[in-house]
Amino acid sequence: RAQALASGTAPPPPGTTTGPAATGTALWDDRALPLLPLQPPRTGREILTAHITAMVCCAAMDTAGATPGLDWLDGPTLLVDGARRADLALHVRSLVETGDPAPLRAWLSDLGVRPEKPVRLV
């Protein structure tokens, strides 16, 4: 305002807009690159693996007393008797890629998970 008075031009009346919005330029540039690189869309196989893993974790929590955990590097984990079970992903991936349920069934029975019991969704 002081600069406008010093240059001899009158300041704009109150309630009017000035700057980029007044000149028609957008405040947001849609053509700019994203700040972070976008993740590629997940494949059907990746989504299936995530869903089977979630169902196995729910069944383990319901029947074997497992608890959910969070690893700062790997993300969600399954804790059984206080120990992290890192081998779950290997068995689920084997089921999804080969269609063979035997390794996952053996892992579930070793853990004490009863796969015939329905999973509670609470």
Side-chain angles (χ1 to χ4, degrees), residues 3-90:
Q3 184 183 16
L5 291 176
S7 66
T9 60
T16 60
T17 58
T18 60
T23 60
T25 60
L27 294 174
W28 183 266
D29 185 10
D30 290 337
R31 295 168 287 151
L33 295 175
L35 296 176
L36 299 172
L38 299 176
Q39 297 292 326
R42 295 193 309 170
T43 65
R45 187 171 285 187
E46 291 171 334
I47 293 171
L48 179 62
T49 302
H51 281 88
I52 291 173
T53 302
M55 290 301 293
V56 167
C57 288
C58 288
M61 289 171 48
D62 283 348
T63 62
T67 56
L70 185 64
D71 184 84
W72 70 275
L73 185 59
D74 296 330
T77 61
L78 184 66
L79 303 174
V80 180
D81 296 328
R84 179 174 177 243
R85 296 301 300 245
D87 53 347
L88 171 61
L90 174 70

